[in-house]
Amino acid sequence: MRIYLTLVFLSLFCCKRQNNTVPQPEEKQSNAVYINPFISTANDHGQTDVAASVPFGMVKPCPDTNPIAHSGYDYSAKEIIGFSNTRFSGVGCRGVGGNLRILPFVISKGDSIPKGLTYSKESEKAKAGYYSVNLNNGVKTQLTATRQVAFHQYTFPESNNAGFTIDLASSYAGPVSHSYHIENGIISGKITSVNVCRKGKYTFYYAINFNHEVSEVTEDDSKLIFKFSTKNNQDILLRCALSVVDENSAIQNLNLSEKLNFSEVKEQAFKSWNNLMDVVHVETENDTLKELFYTHLYHATQSPFIINDENGVFRGSDGNQYKSNSSHYHGWSVWDTFRTKLPLFSFLYPNRYKDMLTSLKALYKQGKPDWATETEPFLTIRTEHTIAIVLDAYEKGILPFPLSDIYEEMKVEAEHLPFKSPDNVLESNYDLWALSEISKILGEDADAKFYRDKAFEYKTLWKDKFLTMDENSDIMHGDGLYEGTLWQYRWFVPFDIKGIQTMIGGKDEFEAQLDYFFENELFNIGNQPDIQVPYLYNYTNSPWKTQRLVDQLLNKKTNNWYGTHHKLEQPITRKIFTNTPNGYIKEMDDDAGTMSSWYVWSTMGVYPIFPGSTQLALTTPQFDKITIKTNDKPLQIITNGRTSKKIYIQKVTWNGEEINSSIIDFNLISKGGILQFELTDTPNKDWGKQN
C-alpha cells in the first residue's frame, strides 16, 4: 500500500530562551523573550509543560515522557514516548489530554519499533511557540502550532526503515474510543477520552497528513504505523488539525494550513505571544524577576481554549452544534481560577475576557453542571463559582450581556449547591451571597433576601467548626474537608470579613489569630483554599504585615508543611517561586494558571481578595515601574525607593493625591492613571488603616 501524505500547519507561537539563559540585547524589546517554558515542569513541581502553542490555543504539541506527568512532560525524565497534541497545563488527578501521540522511529531491518526513545538533554530548547529536541535515534524534532493545527517537523537520518507511529488511544486520563480512515493522503477520524479526575468525557475530530511517500501502512492495536525511506537530514513536516465540530471540519482546518511552512508558523506563534505579553510592561534590572513574571503570565493564558472553527461553529457541552460571532472558549477550571486568574483577565485583557464571559453564558444555556458532562467537545474540568464571576464582571462594568439572561439558570444552579462538609458550606454560601447581590441588582427583592439569609447561615457552621481552634484543626481532610485543614478553610468568607472579625472578638483578635496562623506555619501556599489569607491583614490595623508576608513568600526561603493531601513530617524549606524546572514547591500544581496568576498579581502590588466586588488589596510592587495598556489611558504603577530591605509602604498616591487605604477600587485604576508607591525599610504602622 503506497500513500502520499502531505501536511502543513497554522500557528501563533515562537521564540524564547531556555532555562536561565539571558536574552540578547536586540531581543530586549520583546517581552515574550522572557518566557521560559521549562519553569515548573519537573517532577510534580507545578505540572506545567513545554508545549508549542499559541495563546488560548486548542492544540498543544509537546513531548510525553516516561515517567509521564499530568501535562505529559516531566523535565527530569530520561525517555520520550512520543509527541502528543492536547493537554491542560497545571491540573491535578492524572491530568487530561495526551491525544494522538506521534513517535518517529529509525530501526534496523528486523528490529521492533521502540515504545520510547532517549534524547539529548543538551539539545532541548523551548521558547514561546516552539520546542525542539534531538532524539538519540538521530531524529531531530521541532514543534510549533496555530490555534487548531500542530506542526511537527522531523529531520531524519538516512534510513530504509524509518517512519512514524500514531497512537489513536493515547490519553492521560484514559481512552474511550477512536476511529480513523485514510483518504487522499489524510488520516482523519474521531477521538473520545476520559476527562480530568475521570469526570465525564470529551470528543473531538482530527485530520493528519505529512509530506512524504509511504511504503507501508500497518495497524498494531491502537497504533497506526507508517514506514518509509529517508535521505540524510531529510525534513518531514507532519500537520495535525483538530475540530470539535466533525471530521470534515478537521480536514478543512488542515487544508487551510496547507500553504504555511514551519518557519512562518513559528514566527507567527511568537508574535502572538509577544502581542499578549506586551499588554503589561515591567521595568526592573532583575531579569530573573522578568522571567518569572512573563512565564507565569504565559502559564495563565494557556487556557481556556478557543474551540470554534473559523466559521464560528462549535459544539457545546451538551453535544449540540452552535455558532458564535466571537471567540468561543472552553476548558474551564473555575473553582481554582475564579480566585486569581479570571480576575486577572478582567484586569489585563477585558476585551478578550468578555468573550470568555459570553462563553460561560452559553454554558449555562447548555445545562452547566459543576463538572464535565459525558458529551464535552474538548478538555475541561469544573465550573463552580461562576455565579461569583458573573457578579464580579458586572460590578466591573465588563459583563457583555444583561444579568437577566442567565438569572433563572443561576437560580437552578443554586438549588444544587453542596453542603456536605464545612468547606462546602463556606463555598456554597459565597455563591448564594453573590446570587443575592445579583437578585438585588435585578430588583428581585424577595429572592435577594432569601439568598442573603441563606448565605449568612454560614455563621452557625462557622461558630461550630471554625471559632475555636484546637489540635484537630490542623488535620488535612479533617471533617471531610477537600484538600485542606480547618485552619486553612476558616478564612474563606470574603463577603463577610467583618462578620468573622465580630465572631472572633474584634479586629485586633482577628489580627492576633492571623499572626498565630502564619507564625505557626499553618498556611499552605501550595493549594487554593487559603491563598488569599496573606492579604487579610489589609482588613486589620496592620496592613504592613501583608507587605512583609508577601515579600517573604515571593523572595525568601519559607517552611512549607503541606502537600495536597497530607501534612509533611518535615517542612519543605526553600523559595516558593524559582525560575527553574522545580519552579514551585513539591505537589504545588499550577491549577490551570491559578498560582501563576497569584504570582502576577502579587508582584504588581494589587490582589483580588474578594471576587464579586471591585476591591483590590494593595501591597508592595516588585518592579520599579509597571505599565498596563487599558481601553483608555495607560495604568502606571510606579515604585520609588525599592531595595531588598525597603519593602514597606510609606505612602501611596493616585494621580498625585495621597490615599490612606490598603484597599483600592478596581474601577478606579482599570481605566488608567498613575498609582505611585513610596517605600521605607521600617513599617509605617499608620498607613492603610482607613479601609
Side-chain angles (χ1 to χ4, degrees):
M1 183 178 185
R2 295 175 70 83
I3 301 173
Y4 192 77
L5 299 166
T6 320
L7 181 62
V8 188
F9 189 39
L10 179 70
S11 176
L12 293 165
F13 208 88
C14 185
C15 297
K16 165 79 186 75
R17 68 196 186 287
Q18 184 179 2
N19 289 357
N20 301 323
T21 59
V22 177
Q24 297 302 308
E26 65 270 15
E27 296 178 312
K28 284 285 189 179
Q29 298 305 309
S30 297
N31 290 331
V33 302
Y34 291 99
I35 294 170
N36 180 355
F38 288 108
I39 289 177
S40 299
T41 59
N43 193 24
D44 204 6
H45 286 268
Q47 302 296 351
T48 63
D49 54 70
V50 292
S53 65
V54 298
F56 307 104
M58 280 181 68
V59 295
K60 301 189 185 293
C62 178
D64 290 337
T65 58
N66 178 27
I68 205 163
H70 295 189
S71 293
Y73 176 83
D74 184 343
Y75 182 88
S76 60
K78 307 298 184 186
E79 184 179 55
I80 290 174
I81 59 175
F83 301 91
S84 62
N85 293 280
T86 62
R87 66 205 70 248
F88 205 133
S89 176
V91 300
C93 293
R94 297 299 304 165
V96 65
N99 303 112
L100 297 167
R101 185 178 296 142
I102 297 163
L103 183 68
F105 63 83
V106 177
I107 57 176
S108 299
K109 191 170 181 63
D111 286 350
S112 59
I113 296 170
K115 295 182 179 179
L117 297 165
T118 57
Y119 62 101
S120 166
K121 196 68 184 175
E122 295 74 22
S123 72
E124 197 176 32
K125 295 185 175 124
K127 304 177 181 181
Y130 174 75
Y131 172 86
S132 70
V133 67
N134 293 341
L135 303 172
N136 286 346
N137 65 356
V139 178
K140 179 178 181 178
T141 299
Q142 298 181 81
L143 306 173
T144 190
T146 62
R147 183 172 65 84
Q148 289 182 294
V149 187
F151 282 72
H152 300 233
Q153 183 161 288
Y154 299 103
T155 304
F156 281 84
E158 184 175 0
S159 174
N160 291 322
N161 293 286
F164 300 117
T165 63
I166 301 177
D167 190 346
L168 303 179
S170 59
S171 171
Y172 305 145
V176 176
S177 64
H178 62 269
S179 64
Y180 82 94
H181 73 277
I182 301 174
E183 185 176 351
N184 298 325
I186 296 174
I187 312 131
S188 60
K190 180 170 74 170
I191 301 288
T192 300
S193 293
V194 177
N195 233 315
V196 175
C197 301
R198 304 196 67 79
K199 301 277 190 179
K201 302 178 181 67
Y202 62 93
T203 297
F204 68 87
Y205 304 85
Y206 68 92
I208 300 172
N209 72 344
F210 52 90
N211 58 347
H212 193 62
E213 186 175 350
V214 174
S215 59
E216 182 182 2
V217 179
T218 58
E219 184 176 357
D220 181 9
D221 196 13
S222 64
K223 292 181 180 178
L224 299 178
I225 303 169
F226 299 87
K227 293 183 178 179
F228 44 74
S229 298
T230 54
K231 298 177 182 178
N232 191 37
N233 291 326
Q234 182 167 0
D235 291 334
I236 297 179
L237 181 65
L238 181 150
R239 292 174 298 141
C240 175
L242 306 184
S243 174
V244 301
V245 178
D246 54 34
E247 195 171 327
N248 286 336
S249 297
I251 293 171
Q252 184 176 10
N253 290 339
L254 181 69
N255 291 336
L256 287 172
S257 71
E258 190 170 6
K259 294 183 180 179
L260 295 170
N261 64 47
F262 187 90
S263 295
E264 290 173 331
V265 174
K266 176 182 171 185
E267 182 179 356
Q268 290 171 355
F270 177 76
K271 287 181 179 178
S272 70
W273 280 113
N274 199 53
N275 290 339
L276 197 73
M277 297 296 111
D278 277 354
V279 167
V280 53
H281 183 71
V282 298
E283 297 181 30
T284 176
E285 294 182 359
N286 186 339
D287 278 347
T288 296
L289 186 57
K290 286 184 180 180
E291 183 177 16
L292 284 165
F293 181 87
Y294 286 111
T295 301
H296 286 310
L297 183 56
Y298 163 84
H299 284 150
T301 49
Q302 292 292 329
S303 63
F305 318 111
I306 302 172
I307 65 167
N308 50 313
D309 288 337
E310 291 302 314
N311 60 5
V313 179
F314 66 94
R315 287 192 186 275
S317 291
D318 56 6
N320 294 325
Q321 196 172 121
Y322 300 91
K323 187 171 183 177
S324 173
N325 293 325
S326 59
S327 295
H328 183 82
Y329 289 83
H330 189 76
W332 302 104
S333 186
V334 183
W335 184 88
D336 303 306
T337 59
F338 91 98
R339 304 165 194 268
T340 56
K341 185 169 92 165
L342 297 181
L344 182 65
F345 290 169
S346 75
F347 191 49
L348 298 183
Y349 306 111
N351 296 331
R352 187 185 288 269
Y353 188 53
K354 289 178 182 179
D355 289 343
M356 295 182 191
L357 292 162
T358 300
S359 303
L360 285 170
K361 172 187 171 181
L363 197 60
Y364 269 111
K365 295 299 183 181
Q366 296 160 21
K368 187 180 120 27
D370 288 342
W371 285 79
T373 69
E374 296 294 305
T375 54
E376 296 292 345
F378 207 58
L379 293 58
T380 194
I381 309 175
R382 55 196 302 187
T383 61
E384 301 101 319
H385 299 312
T386 303
I387 295 173
I389 283 300
V390 171
L391 174 63
D392 188 78
Y394 176 85
E395 296 289 359
K396 293 171 179 176
I398 57 176
L399 189 69
F401 54 86
L403 284 169
S404 56
D405 282 3
I406 55 172
Y407 181 57
E408 293 303 321
E409 287 81 1
M410 288 188 288
K411 288 174 65 175
V412 171
E413 183 175 24
E415 294 174 2
H416 304 291
L417 292 171
F419 292 89
K420 295 179 181 178
S421 58
D423 54 316
N424 283 168
V425 172
L426 297 186
E427 297 207 10
S428 293
N429 282 326
Y430 186 13
D431 290 332
L432 291 172
W433 169 83
L435 189 53
S436 76
E437 293 294 300
I438 291 171
S439 300
K440 184 167 63 176
I441 292 164
L442 292 173
E444 300 287 348
D445 295 340
D447 282 353
K449 182 179 186 307
F450 173 77
Y451 292 123
R452 184 175 177 82
D453 289 346
K454 292 283 288 181
F456 278 83
E457 287 177 4
Y458 88 86
K459 290 186 176 182
T460 301
L461 179 280
W462 206 93
K463 290 176 182 177
D464 180 40
K465 294 293 184 182
F466 296 109
L467 180 58
T468 302
M469 309 303 284
D470 56 29
E471 65 274 8
N472 295 319
S473 302
D474 188 31
I475 299 174
M476 293 290 284
H477 299 292
D479 286 87
L481 298 172
Y482 179 74
E483 296 183 0
T485 68
L486 288 170
W487 265 111
Q488 291 156 12
Y489 272 102
R490 79 186 297 231
W491 315 98
F492 190 68
V493 192
F495 64 90
D496 194 29
I497 293 173
K498 186 176 290 187
I500 294 177
Q501 290 177 340
T502 299
M503 286 187 285
I504 284 177
K507 186 181 288 189
D508 290 342
E509 181 59 25
F510 178 79
E511 180 181 333
Q513 293 196 25
L514 280 174
D515 289 344
Y516 182 91
F517 179 68
F518 287 107
E519 288 168 3
N520 288 274
E521 299 173 346
L522 299 167
F523 173 60
N524 182 12
I525 187 63
N527 213 340
Q528 283 70 54
D530 63 348
I531 58 174
Q532 83 288 357
V533 183
Y535 288 91
L536 289 183
Y537 284 112
N538 283 31
Y539 294 89
T540 73
N541 290 320
S542 302
W544 63 269
K545 292 181 179 178
T546 283
Q547 298 153 34
R548 180 182 64 185
L549 182 56
V550 172
D551 179 75
Q552 290 172 349
L553 294 170
L554 291 173
N555 299 314
K556 299 185 172 60
K557 290 183 179 180
T558 58
N559 291 331
N560 300 276
W561 287 90
Y562 300 93
T564 303
H565 298 288
H566 59 283
K567 187 169 184 178
L568 307 175
E569 293 184 2
Q570 296 293 327
I572 298 170
T573 303
R574 51 159 282 184
K575 285 183 64 175
I576 296 163
F577 304 93
T578 64
N579 63 330
T580 68
N582 293 331
Y584 291 156
I585 58 174
K586 187 80 168 176
E587 294 189 39
M588 181 176 166
D589 292 349
D590 194 40
D591 282 299
T594 301
M595 302 314 304
S596 287
S597 299
W598 189 97
Y599 182 89
V600 170
W601 277 115
S602 296
T603 55
M604 290 194 299
V606 289
Y607 187 86
I609 198 167
F610 183 11
S613 77
T614 58
Q615 296 179 23
L616 293 175
L618 292 177
T619 191
T620 307
Q622 299 294 302
F623 300 97
D624 300 326
K625 184 178 180 181
I626 304 165
T627 304
I628 298 171
K629 295 178 182 178
T630 76
N631 290 332
D632 301 291
K633 58 186 176 182
L635 169 63
Q636 297 179 57
I637 302 174
I638 299 171
T639 308
N640 294 324
R642 178 169 180 88
T643 67
S644 61
K645 293 183 179 180
K646 289 186 176 182
I647 62 171
Y648 297 104
I649 296 172
Q650 174 67 26
K651 183 173 74 171
V652 176
T653 60
W654 171 249
N655 291 333
E657 183 177 342
E658 189 168 348
I659 57 174
N660 189 23
S661 173
S662 59
I663 305 295
I664 198 166
D665 191 87
F666 175 99
N667 289 337
L668 177 68
I669 66 173
S670 63
K671 296 177 177 61
I674 300 175
L675 181 65
Q676 188 155 304
F677 294 77
E678 303 290 339
L679 303 187
T680 178
D681 57 1
T682 56
N684 180 349
K685 296 185 178 181
D686 293 323
W687 180 84
K689 291 183 180 180
Q690 300 174 19
N691 294 326

